[in-house]
Amino acid sequence: MPVRFLTLHSVVRCLMVVLTVMVTNIVEPVDGKVNISGQQKQEIEFRLKQLNKQALNSIESSNGEIIDCISIAKQPAFDHPMLKNHTIQMTRSSYPHEVLAEENNAPAPSNDEEQPENIVHPWQLVGECPGNTIPIKRITKEDLLRVDDIMNYGKKLNISRPHQFYQPTDTSVDNGHEYAITYVNGGPYRGTKAQINVWKPRIEAGESSISQIWIVGGKFGPGLNTIEAGSHVNPTLYGDDNPPFFIYWTKDNYQNTGCYNLICPGFVQINKRLTPGYLLTPISTYNGSQFKFTVQIWKDPKTGNWWLQLNEQELIGYWPKELFTNLADEGASTIEWGGEVVNTKKDGQHTTTEMGSGHFPSEGFGKASSFALIKIIDMNNGIIDPVGVQTLVSRPTCYDIKTGYDKLYEVFFYYGGPGRNPECL
Ligand SMILES: *[C@@H]1O[C@H](CO)[C@@H](O)[C@H](O)[C@H]1NC(C)=O
Ligand SMILES: *[C@@H]1O[C@H](CO)[C@@H](O)[C@H](O)[C@H]1NC(C)=O
Ligand SMILES: *[C@@H]1O[C@H](CO)[C@@H](O)[C@H](O)[C@H]1NC(C)=O
Ligand SMILES: *[C@@H]1O[C@H](CO)[C@@H](O)[C@H](O)[C@H]1NC(C)=O
């Protein structure tokens, strides 16, 4: 079946109200249901002023979300002390090239497998911010009130870490992270590319379910650098249980640096239509239509910046090399792909938080979630199949993974599961 694009322009025009007001004071009065003191109120307003840059104009969607169009030169990234003298790179200097694989004898995919369709990005349909501006989702007081410490909004707080933090043999350090991932560990790598199936896993309160790529620089330890991207369900961050596209970075093993999307300074966005944190839609249905998005992250050979591109044509922006230590001048040492959940074991039982579609890999296409067309970008800027792929599964009775290769999906895997079930208590 050919790739199908939905033509929803007109629908979205009706759904979206474009406000072309000059926004002079983007801080709303803090009041409402929550009883907060005058001092907290001041702190929140101050924090919102730090986080939300002056908008040239704003777009309000029917669901109340507000998008601010921010001057590209005044975006949050440039608050980062290491980016004070940074010259913005408006486009990639080169592009990785496909390296044709040798003819292989893998069986053709079976006929009952329908080719996934491309997802539609609400942002592409909504329109564009004016020239030299970028859209950024406005942070609200409600967002800040969901975290205990407003300075921690957007930070990681035990949500997602590379798999080495999980110690299957040492129950005393069980930090609740469970993984079903594949990885390669023989860098340096200049990047990766993969197609990720869009699902909306159900989660229990206070938990999180993630499908992502990790680009890891250096050794697992205090100086660990990561670049991360994928989809997650994270109500603390967004206030709902829908799955957006997210990005993340850290240069000190999640201690003091890094956060999601553009919430703290780091990632430089150049795209006028897509901003990290946008909702992935439509969502795949069990035994029905499948949707996917493609993520490509690679190190620019000229500048050393790490570019992010979605769906073959959407260059979103980059993580400047100045943010990093290990990932500044070298390639990545490890790349991981797959799912992670945080299981708080609230009642001493395993959570029912789902990973992927909530179905086990053994159910296969259209039922289990998948990563497909998984590629490595090598130090020659070639896009190649990963070799020496390993898997890591914390508890296969809760969430599992199954790797494969065929002509349509090339290197792929199914992953996920329902969490608590008679075999996973
Ligand atoms: C809000 O808090 C103040 C003091 O902390 C208290 O006197 C007041 O009754 C509270 N208001 C509501 C609506 O809970
Ligand atoms: C930026 O440039 C100034 C002047 O050359 C220099 O003093 C400063 O250290 C530079 N900052 C960074 C982060 O490179
Ligand atoms: C993160 O995990 C550590 C170790 O399990 C724990 O001590 C700490 O309180 C957790 N932090 C948060 C914010 O949940
Ligand atoms: C999946 O869909 C097919 C065709 O619509 C149907 O025959 C089959 O019973 C469905 N399987 C499940 C597990 O729902």
Side-chain angles (χ1 to χ4, degrees):
M1 183 188 278
V3 168
R4 192 183 59 165
F5 290 96
L6 303 183
T7 51
L8 291 176
H9 296 74
S10 51
V11 178
V12 170
R13 291 245 163 75
C14 300
L15 290 175
M16 306 297 297
V17 183
V18 179
L19 304 175
T20 51
V21 276
M22 286 295 293
V23 180
T24 49
N25 178 13
I26 51 181
V27 179
E28 300 160 59
V30 174
D31 48 22
K33 278 174 263 172
V34 184
N35 189 0
I36 50 176
S37 70
Q39 193 199 335
Q40 277 174 309
K41 228 172 172 173
Q42 274 185 356
E43 282 169 9
I44 287 171
E45 289 189 5
F46 181 72
R47 187 71 184 132
L48 287 173
K49 271 187 189 142
Q50 284 181 325
L51 289 167
N52 292 315
K53 301 288 161 205
Q54 179 85 41
L56 293 175
N57 68 321
S58 301
I59 301 168
E60 182 171 356
S61 71
S62 54
N63 64 8
E65 192 173 75
I66 298 177
I67 305 310
D68 287 325
C69 302
I70 308 291
S71 159
I72 192 165
K74 293 183 179 158
Q75 62 180 297
F78 300 119
D79 287 348
H80 194 289
M82 292 305 287
L83 300 178
K84 288 297 173 212
N85 303 332
H86 181 81
T87 303
I88 193 163
Q89 189 182 358
M90 286 307 290
T91 191
R92 57 194 166 71
S93 73
S94 64
Y95 194 75
H97 52 275
E98 301 278 350
V99 178
L100 289 180
E102 288 163 37
E103 192 57 43
N104 63 72
N105 299 316
S110 59
N111 295 333
D112 57 352
E113 289 200 357
E114 186 189 351
Q115 169 135 30
E117 300 170 46
N118 266 10
I119 59 163
V120 174
H121 308 293
W123 283 101
Q124 292 175 334
L125 304 170
V126 167
E128 294 187 356
C129 277
N132 295 318
T133 71
I134 53 163
I136 301 186
K137 192 179 158 189
R138 189 183 301 176
I139 297 164
T140 65
K141 64 178 187 293
E142 289 77 17
D143 291 330
L144 298 187
L145 289 170
R146 283 193 303 273
V147 292
D148 294 339
D149 178 349
I150 60 171
M151 297 308 287
N152 284 339
Y153 179 69
K155 298 201 177 149
K156 215 159 222 207
L157 302 180
N158 291 354
I159 294 294
S160 165
R161 286 150 185 219
H163 75 266
Q164 269 81 350
F165 288 85
Y166 177 73
Q167 310 273 332
T169 53
D170 184 355
T171 49
S172 66
V173 297
D174 181 358
N175 59 8
H177 291 245
E178 293 189 17
Y179 299 88
I181 63 169
T182 63
Y183 63 99
V184 289
N185 215 350
Y189 308 106
R190 190 167 270 158
T192 180
K193 181 176 182 181
Q195 239 180 35
I196 307 177
N197 207 183
V198 181
W199 288 93
K200 178 180 173 175
R202 272 181 314 158
I203 65 161
E204 282 192 20
E207 303 195 340
S208 173
S209 182
I210 307 156
S211 298
Q212 71 163 105
I213 292 168
W214 290 260
I215 291 182
V216 178
K219 294 201 165 60
F220 288 87
L224 187 78
N225 288 192
T226 73
I227 286 173
E228 307 177 22
S231 72
H232 62 177
V233 174
N234 186 334
T236 307
L237 202 55
Y238 304 101
D240 63 35
D241 58 2
N242 292 313
F245 171 76
F246 81 92
I247 60 170
Y248 182 86
W249 66 276
T250 180
K251 77 158 187 179
D252 63 354
N253 194 18
Y254 308 95
Q255 299 308 300
N256 299 308
T257 62
C259 69
Y260 288 106
N261 302 335
L262 273 68
I263 296 170
C264 58
F267 186 81
V268 176
Q269 182 175 320
I270 59 146
N271 195 293
K272 279 171 52 183
R273 293 187 291 170
L274 292 179
T275 187
Y278 78 87
L279 275 187
L280 291 165
T281 162
I283 290 162
S284 306
T285 52
Y286 182 75
N287 200 24
S289 302
Q290 299 300 303
F291 300 96
K292 64 184 183 179
F293 63 106
T294 298
V295 178
Q296 178 171 321
I297 299 170
W298 79 101
K299 191 172 180 61
D300 190 298
K302 282 223 174 79
T303 61
N305 299 327
W306 290 84
W307 281 98
L308 169 66
Q309 180 176 282
L310 291 174
N311 293 357
E312 308 296 339
Q313 73 279 22
E314 291 283 358
L315 205 53
I316 306 299
Y318 60 90
W319 292 268
K321 84 177 237 183
E322 294 93 322
L323 297 177
F324 299 107
T325 53
N326 304 315
L327 290 174
D329 296 314
E330 298 159 35
S333 51
T334 300
I335 297 182
E336 305 179 352
W337 306 266
E340 177 182 356
V341 300
V342 180
N343 166 29
T344 57
K345 294 202 185 74
K346 267 190 295 283
D347 310 314
Q349 277 189 314
H350 197 285
T351 170
T352 58
T353 290
E354 297 174 340
M355 180 192 290
S357 67
H359 292 266
F360 282 115
S362 54
E363 293 198 44
F365 182 83
K367 295 171 181 149
S369 186
S370 64
F371 279 52
L373 295 167
I374 300 168
K375 301 288 177 182
I376 288 292
I377 296 158
D378 68 14
M379 294 310 275
N380 299 319
N381 231 15
I383 302 178
I384 59 169
D385 284 348
V387 290
V389 176
Q390 304 181 64
T391 61
L392 180 136
V393 177
S394 310
R395 291 184 64 186
T397 55
C398 307
Y399 312 105
D400 207 355
I401 200 161
K402 188 177 157 201
T403 59
Y405 187 96
D406 69 28
K407 281 195 169 148
L408 185 56
Y409 299 114
E410 301 183 21
V411 176
F412 72 89
F413 61 83
Y414 295 114
Y415 70 104
R420 186 163 77 224
N421 70 74
E423 308 300 320
C424 163
L425 298 171

